[in-house]
Amino acid sequence: MLFHRIPADFTRNSPPDLLAVALGATLYAPAIRPTLAADLARCHRDGLMSLVCCLEDAIRDDEVDDAEVNLAHQLRRFADEEPDGPLMFIRVRHPDQIYRMAERLGDAMRVVSGFVLPKFRPDESGRAGVQAVHDIAAATALPVYAMPVMETPEIAHAETRLPTLVQIRHLLDQFKDRVLAVRVGVTDLCGWYGLRRPAELTAWDLGLISTTLTDIINVMARRDRGGYVISGPVWEYFTGGERVLKPLLRESPFADHDPNGRILRRKLVRDALDGLIREILLDRANGLTGKTIIHPSHAAAVHALSVVSHEEYSDAVVIAADANGAGGVLRSAYANKMNEVRPHFAWAKLTLLRAQLFGVAAEGVTFVDFLDASVDRELVA
């Protein structure tokens, strides 16, 4: 048995604090794809919890009109065939598309959980975007949310970053019930400096990007001020190329797993998924939740590492039980750390929320077990 506590079900109508964590691995797909409905259904069957149909950077400028028509057709078809599908979002180029797509979709808007607002700025265009989402939610009585993306040069540049983030925070706070999560466009942020991280390195290894991510988290995710869930940046590699640095993925957890453990590790390294795993761990350690992905094969790593370990869960339960905030220091059930109630209280609540949605590993079960259960055996071989 892999789970001490199995993941709970959720729907598009679940509370937004649950949905923000439930996003997990969020796959982007071009809205122009002629087989989009079938692709979305297949991805959901394979375990994807959230998908974004992109009308922005994923399509050419001369494809926008055709992409809107195709997307409306594909989502209407999807709504008829897969009514209980994943959390679905539409990435728009400008606020007018939000109203236009809602009109094109009609009743099929029921399968759309919201809109991704790229290159978000604290100006009239940013306000218009979240206002449009608010208007559609009010007109349809559906749980429709906005996910703004932090990726503009004003955020990339040191002299304008903090003032811009503070202004964005003030704007989003005016529409807080309609903002599900904040996303980070690391590819665009790198682009302003001509950077591209290799598959051997993570976003956190790039000094400029690490500093930017830290400031975004500092302003947007403060738990004492009702902070927003911030998603992890995109991992953009399908496979690895020539390596200079040794993999940092330890051999012992795989060697101790079963005879196929070493084969699984070799596949992860071959496909550069060891870099993805390291970036996911650094994301979470720094306060990010979930991950933007560009290939369904990446979801297994994101979701395997989203399962709460038995040790984390044991600590979180004990800390959260101090509902009165009396404080003090508690000894971990694993006898390897202290649990200081007040500073660890917010961590415990977030951990229990993740446990509800992704489950809790049974004692002695590791992320390798979950990876092994979710990776296709044919691919491993």
Side-chain angles (χ1 to χ4, degrees), residues 24 28 37 44 154 183 205 254 260 269:
Y28 276 56
H44 185 230
E154 294 88 351
R183 309 198 74 85
D205 293 313
F254 295 89
N260 289 315
V269 172

Side-chain angles (χ1 to χ4, degrees), residues 173-191:
D173 284 349
Q174 298 172 43
F175 297 88
K176 194 167 182 59
D177 60 337
R178 295 269 64 88
V179 180
L180 185 63
V182 171
R183 309 198 74 85
V184 181
V186 160
T187 301
D188 277 48
L189 292 173
C190 285

